[in-house]
């Protein structure tokens, strides 16, 4: 602001008082601008203008299509119908488990039979039907068929059991539950508490004795159902398509609302931003009940006519063999999947594939280069975005470690921002006018996105639970009177506008007056421990300020030279970031999307009376990790051990 005022002052003085010619005035302004630090802007401009123009063009293209589809009241089934018309006999889906190939026409027929069958059973637009099955072609056909009728699918996480499963079915108010035969035992466990009016249908191998009483076999019923397109429901581009449940890492899963425009936006930004092609073949080994697998991956099939290879579950040992067999050109990843691949012994198949792009989110910066160079993948297409968020990011030019960018030149074009937070309480920090304070480059802050409900790109659809939705909204963020979506994630922006994921809010902890990033420490420890699963979290220690770092490692303690490990940590991590406590256990529990579950680990902490796994603590006097028994635990609790 001060620089701008100075430039205007020089302009007026030079022209009106000194009456200099415009050329001299121009040079005067240029020298003042550069001498006042404006050269930084020139440097940023030169380095980012090409990236920003491309990103802006992608945004404008998607925005134009969104406006068109909003005006025409298109829906995902209508957009899919256009894809079928373009190439009805092209392969749409391949299920690796049985090598089953479906053309776009076959997918269209199957989904229409689903719609007609459900309509015959009394379901109508606005009703809810739950889908609870492992990955396969039928999963896509089921929710797509429901959408053709206007029925909203509740896509249930296949890892859920008992209370969590019952909770999802109850809160969705589903009238119908379609489950895979492989999930029958989980339904058996809760059948007594299910609503008697809930209709049960089983898809897959049929054995009446293994399913709850009253269950019908869906497959033959669909074979007999009409395959014509049902009459179009009264649904528009911003109406509900289906529900995707959060991972439940902090409590019972919440049903995030996915509307038709959100499905299109997420799939289209990835398609255009990462320069995908209609002839690409996508390898999708991610769960289809999650947005990465079902929108980012499957959306390329339904909306853009790409072939998608579906795998029931991720397999590190079979990954590259599958890519070779099906000529895949794009692979999807999430969470720790890339590390699992790096942990595999080298094989010839790694160099025989045609994969040109790895698409996903959560690739740690510490293994980014190793992953792309070892497996010869030219483009790492890292993005950021949750199912319900309105501030997705894309790393369109493969900047190592970045999950996306925002223009430093025209930041107002895409209304997202990093805002300052209290790193102890994670509360938003506001200025004297009550508006949130933006972060400067290099300063960590929470990512927020301005909410504009009339704009399909900026709207926030929230959750079925209105209370949960309200918790994700803050007021007076960019300016007085506005609203913004709170991602709950801490990111850092560099000078060029690239954004780097740092931590989930609440996952960072403070020790010895410093903030410890669990993501960074987990990446370092995993690399030192041969890519083992590592969960880092803070635990309370009586008489100390903050929380001491603790690492749970999925590896038998006997496999680790703890003395050598402590020496490596001295070189790799600052003193405050080194874990004080270590816990070795057979495996770490993860969500279906490879997120580590830390809630129970935090509760159990380092008490040997509670934790039966091997425990160690960093003896400050000896400079190495020693066993943590009941006697040592008592000394620590009494403040007799220096940590």
């Amino acid at each position: 602001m001060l620089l701008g005022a100075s430039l205007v002052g020089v302009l007026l003085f030079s022209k009106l008082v000194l009456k200099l010619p415009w050329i001299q005035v121009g040079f005067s302004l240029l020298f003042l601008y550069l001498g006042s630090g404006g050269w930084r802007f020139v440097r940023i401009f030169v380095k980012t203008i090409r990236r920003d123009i491309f990103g802006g063009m992608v945004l404008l293209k998607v925005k134009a299509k969104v406006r068109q589809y909003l005006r025409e009241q298109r829906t995902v089934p209508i957009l899919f119908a256009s894809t079928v018309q373009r190439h009805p006999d092209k392969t749409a889906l391949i299920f690796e488990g049985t090598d089953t190939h479906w053309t776009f026409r076959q997918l269209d027929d199957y989904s229409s039979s689903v719609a007609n069958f459900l309509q015959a059973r009394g379901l109508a637009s606005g009703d809810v039907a739950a889908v609870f099955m492992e990955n396969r072609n039928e999963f896509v056909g089921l929710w797509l068929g429901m959408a053709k009728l206007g029925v909203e699918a509740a896509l249930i996480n296949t890892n859920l059991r008992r209370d969590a499963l019952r909770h999802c079915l109850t809160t969705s108010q589903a009238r119908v539950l379609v489950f895979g035969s492989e999930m029958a035992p989980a339904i058996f466990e809760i059948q007594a508490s299910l609503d008697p009016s809930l209709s049960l249908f089983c898809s897959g191998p049929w054995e009446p004795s293994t399913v709850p009483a009253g269950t019908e076999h869906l497959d033959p019923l669909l074979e007999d159902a009409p395959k014509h397109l049902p009459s179009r429901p009264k649904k528009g581009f911003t109406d509900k398509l289906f529900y995707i449940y959060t991972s439940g890492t902090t409590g019972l899963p919440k049903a995030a609302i996915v509307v038709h425009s959100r499905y299109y936006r997420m799939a289209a930004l990835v398609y255009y931003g990462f320069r995908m092609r209609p002839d690409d073949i996508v390898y999708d080994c991610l769960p289809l009940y999650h947005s990465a697998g079902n929108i980012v991956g499957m959306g390329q099939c339904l909306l853009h006519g790409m072939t998608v290879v579906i795998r029931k579950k991720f397999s590190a040992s079979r990954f590259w063999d599958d890519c070779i067999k099906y000529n895949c050109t794009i692979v999807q990843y999430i969470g720790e999947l890339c590390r699992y691949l790096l942990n595999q012994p080298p094989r010839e198949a790694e160099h025989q594939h045609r994969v040109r792009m790895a698409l996903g989110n959560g690739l740690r910066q510490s293994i980014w280069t190793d992953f792309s160079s070892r497996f010869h993948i030219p483009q790492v297409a890292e993005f950021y975005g949750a199912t319900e968020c309105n501030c997705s990011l894309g790393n369109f030019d493969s900047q190592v470690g970045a999950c996306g960018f925002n223009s430093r030149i025209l930041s107002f074009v895409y209304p997202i921002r990093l805002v300052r937070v209290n790193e102890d309480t994670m509360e938003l920090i506001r200025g004297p006018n009550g508006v949130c304070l933006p972060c400067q480059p290099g300063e960590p802050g929470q990512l927020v996105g301005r909410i504009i409900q009339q704009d399909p790109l900026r709207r926030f659809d929230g959750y079925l639970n209105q209370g949960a939705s309200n918790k994700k909204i803050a007021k007076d963020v960019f300016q007085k009177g506005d609203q913004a979506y709170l991602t709950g994630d801490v990111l850092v922006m560099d000078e060029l506008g690239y954004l780097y994921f740092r931590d989930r809010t609440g996952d960072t902890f403070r020790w010895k007056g410093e903030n410890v990033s669990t993501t960074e420490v987990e990446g370092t420890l995993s690399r030192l421990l041969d890519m083992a699963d590592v969960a880092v979290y803070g635990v309370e220690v009586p008489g100390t300020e903050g929380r001491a770092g603790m690492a749970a490692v999925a590896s038998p303690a006997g496999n680790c030279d703890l003395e050598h490990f402590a020496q490596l940590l001295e070189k790799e991590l600052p003193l405050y970031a080194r874990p004080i406590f270590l816990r070795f256990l057979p495996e770490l529990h993860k969500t279906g999307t490879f997120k580590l579950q830390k809630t129970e680990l935090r509760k159990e902490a380092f008490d040997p009376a509670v934790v039966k796994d091997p425990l160690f603590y960093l003896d400050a006097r000896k400079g190495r990790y020693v066993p943590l028994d009941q006697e040592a635990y008592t000394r620590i609790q009494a403040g007799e051990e220096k940590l």
Side-chain angles (χ1 to χ4, degrees):
M1 187 68 74
L2 182 61
L3 177 59
S6 301
L7 292 172
V8 172
V10 170
L11 171 64
L12 295 174
F13 182 78
S14 301
K15 199 66 189 159
L16 300 179
V17 179
L18 300 180
K19 299 188 178 183
L20 297 175
W22 278 112
I23 293 178
Q24 291 185 20
V25 172
F27 276 112
S28 299
L29 293 174
L30 178 62
F31 287 134
L32 175 61
Y33 181 70
L34 295 177
S36 304
W39 60 270
R40 288 195 184 91
F41 177 83
V42 175
R43 175 178 172 273
I44 292 169
F45 181 89
V46 171
K47 284 182 170 288
T48 64
I49 186 62
R50 186 176 177 182
R51 176 202 69 184
D52 291 358
I53 289 175
F54 175 74
M57 294 299 289
V58 169
L59 193 61
L60 286 173
K61 187 167 190 173
V62 174
K63 199 162 192 173
K65 285 184 174 288
V66 163
R67 284 179 175 171
Q68 176 191 344
Y69 297 158
L70 182 62
R71 187 172 60 251
E72 297 171 354
Q73 287 299 290
R74 300 280 188 100
T75 60
V76 169
I78 292 173
L79 295 173
F80 172 67
S82 300
T83 306
V84 177
Q85 281 186 330
R86 288 198 302 273
H87 29 233
D89 298 319
K90 179 182 178 181
T91 300
L93 303 176
I94 302 173
F95 178 48
E96 175 277 334
T98 57
D99 201 36
T100 302
H101 292 55
W102 280 12
T103 65
F104 281 93
R105 193 196 310 274
Q106 287 173 308
L107 176 56
D108 189 36
D109 287 346
Y110 181 89
S111 56
S112 291
S113 67
V114 170
N116 288 313
F117 169 74
L118 293 177
Q119 188 175 46
R121 290 300 181 103
L123 270 72
S125 180
D127 287 333
V128 178
V131 179
F132 185 52
M133 64 167 57
E134 293 179 339
N135 285 8
R136 52 179 176 268
N137 295 355
E138 288 80 2
F139 188 108
V140 183
L142 282 165
W143 74 254
L144 181 60
M146 293 169 184
K148 286 183 175 182
L149 184 61
V151 170
E152 299 148 14
L155 308 180
I156 310 293
N157 186 326
T158 53
N159 294 296
L160 299 181
R161 296 294 184 272
R162 299 183 184 245
D163 289 346
L165 176 57
R166 187 185 302 108
H167 165 80
C168 290
L169 290 172
T170 303
T171 55
S172 71
Q173 297 184 321
R175 290 186 55 192
V176 165
L177 168 61
V178 178
F179 62 92
S181 53
E182 71 280 0
M183 307 311 300
I187 302 301
F188 246 124
E189 289 181 335
I190 63 169
Q191 64 171 326
S193 58
L194 292 177
D195 188 331
S197 66
L198 180 67
S199 300
L200 301 179
F201 298 96
C202 177
S203 174
W206 177 249
E207 180 54 57
S209 62
T210 64
V211 297
T215 302
E216 297 181 69
H217 191 201
L218 182 65
D219 300 349
L221 297 173
L222 292 181
E223 288 177 9
D224 295 337
K227 292 179 172 51
H228 62 77
L229 188 66
S231 56
R232 179 178 172 179
K234 293 182 179 179
K235 287 271 189 176
F237 200 46
T238 55
D239 287 323
K240 294 174 184 175
L241 174 61
F242 54 56
Y243 306 110
I244 285 181
Y245 287 81
T246 61
S247 298
T249 52
T250 57
L252 289 171
K254 300 186 291 290
I257 299 169
V258 177
V259 298
H260 293 264
S261 61
R262 176 171 295 276
Y263 190 98
Y264 174 79
R265 174 180 66 82
M266 291 178 71
L269 285 172
V270 166
Y271 180 81
Y272 295 113
F274 293 118
R275 301 176 177 88
M276 294 180 175
R277 301 189 289 258
D279 61 346
D280 275 320
I281 300 175
V282 179
Y283 184 65
D284 189 349
C285 58
L286 306 181
L288 293 178
Y289 57 73
H290 188 255
S291 57
N294 202 7
I295 303 178
V296 175
M298 197 54 60
Q300 310 315 325
C301 168
L302 303 182
L303 303 177
H304 300 118
M306 291 161 58
T307 299
V308 174
V309 178
I310 300 173
R311 184 167 175 66
K312 185 169 74 171
K313 288 183 179 179
F314 164 71
S315 168
S317 61
R318 293 291 308 167
F319 191 90
W320 299 114
D321 294 325
D322 288 344
C323 290
I324 294 169
K325 179 178 180 180
Y326 296 109
N327 294 313
C328 298
T329 56
I330 298 175
V331 296
Q332 283 192 267
Y333 67 84
I334 194 171
E336 301 296 279
L337 188 150
C338 298
R339 183 168 56 79
Y340 299 151
L341 291 173
L342 279 171
N343 207 22
Q344 290 287 302
R347 303 173 59 219
E348 285 187 19
E350 296 174 7
H351 313 294
Q352 297 171 344
H353 60 78
R354 296 176 55 233
V355 174
R356 66 178 184 86
M357 181 193 304
L359 168 70
N361 61 333
L363 177 56
R364 294 180 188 272
Q365 188 169 357
S366 57
I367 63 170
W368 183 298
T369 304
D370 291 342
F371 177 77
S372 60
S373 60
R374 172 176 164 178
F375 300 123
H376 304 283
I377 300 177
Q379 182 183 3
V380 175
E382 174 86 4
F383 64 87
Y384 170 91
T387 303
E388 65 275 26
C389 89
N390 70 341
C391 46
S392 302
L393 304 169
N395 182 355
F396 295 157
D397 54 358
S398 295
Q399 172 74 11
V400 174
C403 60
F405 73 95
N406 197 28
S407 174
R408 295 292 314 282
I409 306 166
L410 301 169
S411 58
F412 60 87
V413 172
Y414 193 52
I416 66 168
R417 181 176 288 178
L418 298 184
V419 295
R420 294 182 185 177
V421 292
N422 182 313
E423 295 198 40
D424 291 326
T425 64
M426 298 315 296
E427 292 180 8
L428 301 173
I429 297 176
R430 300 178 182 272
N433 62 351
V435 176
C436 292
L437 297 175
C439 294
Q440 298 303 312
E443 182 181 12
Q446 183 174 178
L447 177 65
V448 298
R450 178 179 285 165
I451 297 173
I452 305 172
Q453 285 301 110
Q454 295 76 25
D455 183 350
L457 293 178
R458 305 257 43 88
R459 62 182 287 151
F460 172 57
D461 299 298
Y463 310 96
L464 275 179
N465 183 314
Q466 188 58 46
S469 297
N470 293 338
K471 290 179 181 178
K472 300 293 285 186
I473 299 173
K475 296 182 178 179
D476 304 333
V477 177
F478 291 78
Q479 62 186 35
K480 274 288 187 181
D482 70 2
Q483 289 187 323
Y485 167 77
L486 302 173
T487 63
D489 290 330
V490 176
L491 281 71
V492 179
M493 177 188 284
D494 67 14
E495 186 182 38
L496 300 179
Y498 288 106
L499 289 148
Y500 303 84
F501 182 84
R502 177 159 171 174
D503 260 318
R504 289 285 302 169
T505 54
D507 225 9
T508 301
F509 60 90
R510 197 168 179 84
W511 181 245
K512 295 188 180 297
E514 299 284 352
N515 293 306
V516 180
S517 166
T518 60
T519 303
E520 293 177 11
V521 177
E522 284 168 355
T524 300
L525 266 59
S526 179
R527 178 166 49 81
L528 297 178
L529 295 168
D530 298 324
M531 300 300 172
D533 278 339
V534 179
V536 174
Y537 45 98
V539 293
E540 293 183 355
V541 179
T544 63
E545 189 176 332
R547 293 174 182 263
M550 184 166 183
V553 181
S555 172
N559 290 356
C560 180
D561 182 342
L562 291 177
E563 190 165 347
H564 180 60
F565 179 61
Q567 293 170 357
L568 291 175
L569 285 183
E570 288 184 18
K571 300 175 183 177
E572 296 280 349
L573 292 173
L575 181 63
Y576 66 84
R578 296 171 206 160
I580 303 299
F581 303 102
L582 296 178
R583 174 180 178 178
F584 292 89
L585 63 171
E587 65 174 341
L588 289 172
H589 294 296
K590 294 182 284 293
T591 68
T593 52
F594 301 98
K595 294 176 184 175
L596 295 168
Q597 294 180 316
K598 302 181 184 180
T599 305
E600 287 303 312
L601 295 173
R602 286 194 192 95
K603 287 180 182 177
E604 294 171 352
F606 57 96
D607 185 351
V610 176
V611 179
K612 302 309 176 185
D613 303 311
L615 292 170
F616 299 84
Y617 73 100
L618 185 59
D619 189 315
R621 289 184 291 271
K622 297 178 181 178
R624 57 186 173 86
Y625 288 97
V626 297
L628 198 166
D629 53 19
Q630 192 62 48
E631 185 179 337
Y633 176 77
T634 303
R635 292 199 305 273
I636 292 170
Q637 292 294 99
E640 297 171 2
E641 280 283 349
K642 183 181 178 183
L643 299 177

